[in-house]
Amino acid sequence: MANRASVSRIYLLVLLILVAMFYVLLAACLLACGWGLYLLVTHLPEILAHVRGRGIKLVFMVGLGIVIFGYSLLRAMVVRTGGDPLGARMTRNDQPRLFGVLDEVCRKVSARPVNEVFVTPETEIGVWEESAIYMPPGAGKRKLVLGLASLCFLTLDQLKSILAHEYGHFSNRDTYWSRFIARVFAGVNEVRGVMAGQN
């Protein structure tokens, strides 16, 4: 058990180091873009004096590329995460039987119930904790997503087993640490989205 705890700590430490490195890399790339743009602008007359025709177009394309890439990096650093999935938000009044099952699983695994439940047309079944990045574990809003495509093929006992596993993520504080991964994932997607939009 002690070995598992130490592996868990090492994993979390590596995770936090990688997240920090991602933002350091973003900042370094942003500085490089700024420096490259500065050099291009300050040496533009000299460069243009040595190029003609397609060369001039290439110089301006490089400059535009630096600006667009720098803009995508800025957006990646401040990208917002969270939000609700595409689906129907369920309440106790809408689905009392569903919440009865959720409450039963909560009691059996000694977990705090989720704050919101969403039913989506997808296959995923999962939980996450939506909170500001500086908030302590357990202080966020607990959310559960149930993919209708999976629910159609599960028995009630199978669903309860999956829910018990998902609630285990809350107890193990996995959802706390996943907020950092979500920010990196959202940042990478933001850069890809901005760059893909320029094609």
Side-chain angles (χ1 to χ4, degrees):
M1 192 71 172
N3 189 29
R4 184 180 169 195
S6 63
V7 169
S8 218
R9 287 191 194 99
I10 291 169
Y11 168 74
L12 292 176
L13 179 63
V14 170
L15 176 69
L16 290 176
I17 289 170
L18 290 174
V19 169
M21 285 174 59
F22 172 75
Y23 282 101
V24 168
L25 184 61
L26 275 184
C29 288
L30 196 56
L31 285 172
C33 283
W35 181 246
L37 194 60
Y38 169 77
L39 289 177
L40 187 65
V41 170
T42 55
H43 292 85
L44 191 60
E46 299 167 32
I47 295 170
L48 292 179
H50 291 88
V51 295
R52 295 284 183 273
R54 290 185 180 177
I56 294 174
K57 184 177 179 182
L58 180 63
V59 169
F60 283 106
M61 291 300 289
V62 168
L64 183 62
I66 292 173
V67 169
I68 292 170
F69 187 57
Y71 171 70
S72 72
L73 293 173
L74 272 175
R75 288 194 46 154
M77 291 183 89
V78 297
V79 66
R80 291 184 57 150
T81 58
D84 297 335
L86 181 63
R89 185 191 309 242
M90 297 290 118
T91 65
R92 287 187 179 272
N93 293 336
D94 296 330
Q95 296 293 331
R97 289 180 62 192
L98 171 62
F99 278 85
V101 170
L102 296 178
D103 291 341
E104 180 189 338
V105 173
C106 281
R107 284 192 300 273
K108 286 186 177 177
V109 299
S110 302
R112 189 163 51 90
V114 293
N115 302 103
E116 294 181 344
V117 178
F118 297 89
V119 175
T120 71
E122 306 295 331
T123 58
E124 77 275 17
I125 296 177
V127 294
W128 74 99
E129 184 180 337
E130 192 169 285
S131 175
I133 203 163
Y134 54 83
M135 295 296 286
K141 187 181 285 187
R142 294 181 167 199
K143 297 188 176 186
L144 167 69
V145 62
L146 297 170
L148 198 57
S150 291
L151 293 179
C152 293
F153 298 98
L154 293 173
T155 66
L156 186 57
D157 286 339
Q158 288 170 338
L159 176 61
K160 288 178 181 178
S161 298
I162 293 170
L163 290 172
H165 168 85
E166 293 302 327
Y167 279 114
H169 288 301
F170 289 128
S171 303
N172 203 34
R173 297 184 175 179
D174 298 336
T175 52
Y176 173 74
W177 299 108
S178 64
R179 76 179 72 179
F180 299 102
I181 300 170
R183 289 199 64 82
V184 171
F185 183 72
V188 170
N189 277 345
E190 192 67 27
V191 173
R192 288 176 54 204
V194 172
M195 298 307 290
Q198 306 308 314
N199 291 339

